[in-house]
Amino acid sequence: MAKGTKSAAKRAFKMYIDGKWVDSEDGGTFDVVSPASGQVLGSFPKGTADDAKAAVEAAVRAQDAARTMPIKERARLGVRIAEEIHRNIKEYAVDCSLEHGKPLRESIAEVEDAIPNIQWQVEDLKRWDSPAQEGFSKENVLYMSLHEPLGTVVTITPWNFPWVLPAEFVVQAMLAGNSVVFKPASNTPISAVHLMECIDKARVPPGIINMVTGPGGEVGTTLVEHPLVDGIGFTGETTTGLDIAKRAGLKKLTLELGGLGPLIIMDDAKVEPAVEDIAFGCFTTTGHCCVANERIFVHEEIHDKVVKALVDRVKKMRVGFPLDAETDMGPINNRSTLLKVERHVADAVKRGAKVVAGGKRVPGMPTDLYYYPTVVDDVPPEALFNTAETFGPTAPILRFSDLDEAIEMANAPRYGLSMAIHTANLRVAMEAAKRLKAGQICINEPVYSWDYFNPWGGFRNSGLGRIAGRWSLDAFSELKTVMFNVGRSPWPD
Ligand code: NAD
């Protein structure tokens, strides 16, 4: 039985504050219900503002222990946490699939992905250099810029990748020498408890990493506004990011926000890989991805071939229970996302688009959250699909006639996380790479791509700051310059 669990019959999970598994101070709880089966998976403490404050106070008390921990010891803790995750990949993946809805093989890949993600940061920590320079305006002066932890960092994460997203913030903030308070999303907190079990088993000293569960409107805002919090790492919706930016004051912010990633298919692209990338980037994890292909721009010369091949491909996909081996796509995670998907499809149809695959819920499933993978053709640029993140299993197709038009449509909504282009022409690819306004441009790849070592983050409405690799360590630290007059050493009489 898991350590954060009270009993095997009804799983009653706990929060983790100051090295102890605890209930909320007023005893309140909330249930986590599986979108796949409709069953209650467990109950969680419904943290309050006082719980959030208690977690911050524990983290502040642990700041010196975190800051003074030798780099070698921090690295050892990171390695141990990764080893603990490795021990239970299958168990963690099953819980991830049940609380999220994604197929088991995707959950296994996600839990596995957390391991090299942490290991990479450990390696970067070992080589985390900083500049030293001789003086320009004064002689005999040496400047050393040293990395200094922020102090206490709050990390707040969404539900769509319950392992990868906490794994790229929580452990990294500790590796950079901070104490941490982690608030996971309320739809998928079981994976967060498992991560905390790994942190506990790795013997991270009490108070250095704490976790509070509960509503964003109370726990999240209390953490964000708390005067003793020094930095915030947030992943979630752009509107929530804006709210956090208004409340946080001058805390150091890293905001990983929404995307509206376009995949541009030029007339010289190869149809088969383009269709594979459309299907992968639209329907993996039920389209619940910040770097899903939210919009597919297809050159008019190649449009009919691409759409026909895509519809054939999508009709072969099996929607089913996430733990069944033959399932390609599970349910939508929650009702508000389902309703948004339905709203965006209806809006496009009202404006003249055609549903050429899917476009409705799957009957006879354990919940009504199962929705067919959907292709909507001839979506006009003014449709919601092209202006607001859908975050569901849809491939909206928009036609274009030249690169200028595609780039203009791509940049217009002012989101800029990841954008992609398929073309056989290197000149066109590089022109697009320069003119598209996003943190990542993928050439002959789907929008849906990332790795652990590239600076990750968005332009414009997609966020602030960079994470992954050494950029996570930079995000959770400050540079402090020490100016050193070597000529006065020893101090002259
Ligand atoms: P969300 O903004 O609704 O919630 C994210 C987290 O913030 C949750 O833990 C929630 O409880 C908390 N929260 C809500 N209101 C808050 C407030 N006022 N103050 C503090 N915390 C608050 O997002 P979501 O629906 O869980 O996630 C989906 C979004 O995340 C999508 O827009 C997606 O594109 C984005 N996302 C971005 C990235 C990236 O790398 N840029 C990665 C994954 C997801």
Side-chain angles (χ1 to χ4, degrees):
M1 188 170 65
K3 213 171 174 190
T5 311
K6 268 184 189 160
S7 79
K10 169 152 179 172
R11 300 168 87 193
F13 295 92
K14 296 191 174 220
M15 308 192 288
Y16 188 83
I17 299 178
D18 215 2
K20 296 182 202 72
W21 294 100
V22 296
D23 292 316
S24 90
E25 50 86 25
D26 70 358
T29 60
F30 66 95
D31 284 344
V32 174
V33 178
S34 171
S37 66
Q39 286 171 336
V40 175
L41 297 173
S43 77
F44 271 82
K46 189 172 177 185
T48 63
D50 283 346
D51 290 316
K53 286 179 198 157
V56 172
E57 282 155 22
V60 169
R61 283 195 300 276
Q63 268 180 12
D64 278 348
R67 181 178 57 80
T68 57
M69 193 189 297
I71 287 189
K72 195 171 168 186
E73 180 55 18
R74 283 187 240 162
R76 197 178 298 148
L77 287 179
V79 169
R80 275 200 224 128
I81 293 167
E83 284 168 357
E84 291 298 336
I85 297 172
H86 194 261
R87 268 186 237 287
N88 290 306
I89 291 172
K90 182 75 192 292
E91 178 203 337
Y92 296 160
V94 168
D95 275 339
C96 179
S97 279
L98 289 174
E99 68 176 351
H100 179 284
K102 62 181 81 183
L104 184 60
R105 65 172 175 281
E106 286 183 23
S107 292
I108 290 173
E110 178 174 349
V111 180
E112 283 176 347
D113 219 34
I115 297 166
N117 200 331
I118 294 170
Q119 288 168 334
W120 201 288
Q121 315 281 330
V122 168
E123 292 306 311
D124 276 336
L125 175 65
K126 292 180 192 166
R127 298 172 180 78
W128 194 25
D129 57 357
S130 57
Q133 199 168 353
E134 292 194 31
F136 171 73
S137 48
K138 286 190 176 185
E139 283 178 26
N140 292 323
V141 166
L142 184 66
Y143 293 90
M144 288 183 294
S145 296
L146 303 176
H147 297 294
E148 181 150 315
L150 299 178
T152 290
V153 168
V154 159
T155 68
I156 302 179
T157 55
W159 50 266
N160 64 322
F161 282 95
W163 271 93
V164 162
L165 299 173
E168 67 187 13
F169 269 159
V170 176
V171 181
Q172 283 74 355
M174 176 203 74
L175 290 176
N178 300 284
S179 59
V180 184
V181 180
F182 165 37
K183 193 210 96 60
S186 300
N187 297 0
T188 53
I190 299 177
S191 299
V193 165
H194 288 323
L195 175 63
M196 293 308 301
E197 287 163 359
C198 295
I199 286 166
D200 183 59
K201 285 188 206 150
R203 297 190 299 282
V204 173
I208 291 189
I209 304 184
N210 308 272
M211 182 194 68
V212 195
T213 50
E218 180 170 353
V219 173
T221 52
T222 305
L223 295 174
V224 164
E225 290 175 355
H226 200 293
L228 297 182
V229 167
D230 305 286
I232 297 171
F234 170 77
T235 307
E237 285 195 14
T238 298
T239 47
T240 316
L242 277 170
D243 184 66
I244 288 175
K246 284 182 197 146
R247 291 172 190 271
L250 295 178
K251 299 177 176 82
K252 188 170 182 194
L253 292 184
T254 303
L255 302 177
E256 301 293 335
L257 308 180
L260 196 54
L263 172 56
I264 301 170
I265 316 281
M266 295 301 293
D267 49 351
D268 60 357
K270 280 205 176 347
V271 171
E272 200 186 316
V275 165
E276 257 329 291
D277 281 4
I278 297 173
F280 175 79
C282 291
F283 306 120
T284 304
T285 195
T286 328
H288 302 326
C289 184
C290 54
V291 289
N293 309 318
E294 285 276 334
R295 306 175 285 158
I296 322 294
F297 300 156
V298 185
H299 194 285
E300 58 192 7
E301 291 296 322
I302 198 177
H303 168 272
D304 293 356
K305 276 191 208 154
V306 169
V307 172
K308 183 180 175 315
L310 179 62
V311 170
D312 290 347
R313 167 80 175 74
V314 165
K315 286 193 170 158
K316 288 186 198 128
M317 287 183 68
R318 284 152 306 190
V319 181
F321 193 69
L323 302 187
D324 292 345
E326 61 275 13
T327 292
D328 293 315
M329 198 180 86
I332 287 178
N333 172 266
N334 58 74
R335 188 153 305 279
S336 69
T337 304
L338 170 71
L339 296 178
K340 180 154 56 139
V341 167
E342 292 182 330
R343 209 163 49 243
H344 284 201
V345 172
D347 168 79
V349 169
K350 199 173 78 194
R351 296 174 193 272
K354 293 182 292 291
V355 174
V356 289
K360 55 183 187 228
R361 298 183 196 185
V362 183
M365 303 303 283
T367 71
D368 65 356
L369 295 168
Y370 290 79
Y371 195 84
Y372 286 109
T374 294
V375 181
V376 186
D377 194 14
D378 282 325
V379 172
E382 62 279 12
L384 288 173
F385 272 130
N386 193 37
T387 56
E389 197 181 33
T390 307
F391 220 56
T394 53
I397 312 284
L398 293 89
R399 293 179 196 241
F400 70 93
S401 54
D402 62 33
L403 184 65
D404 285 346
E405 187 189 358
I407 288 177
E408 198 179 314
M409 281 204 292
N411 289 335
R414 299 187 67 81
Y415 283 88
L417 191 54
S418 179
M419 299 188 180
I421 181 164
H422 271 233
T423 176
N425 185 325
L426 194 53
R427 187 192 57 74
V428 169
M430 280 316 293
E431 186 182 342
K434 285 185 184 159
R435 290 173 59 197
L436 290 169
K437 293 189 191 306
Q440 172 176 281
I441 310 297
C442 308
I443 296 165
N444 294 334
E445 279 286 321
V447 179
Y448 195 128
S449 314
W450 67 79
D451 221 320
Y452 319 106
F453 47 81
N454 284 318
W456 179 260
F459 285 15
R460 298 170 152 191
N461 292 333
S462 291
L464 212 59
R466 292 292 177 270
I467 56 167
R470 64 164 293 157
W471 286 275
S472 299
L473 301 172
D474 290 344
F476 297 127
S477 61
E478 294 280 15
L479 271 181
K480 175 188 272 179
T481 296
V482 179
M483 180 192 180
F484 189 6
N485 192 324
V486 184
R488 288 178 172 176
S489 179
W491 195 264
D493 293 329

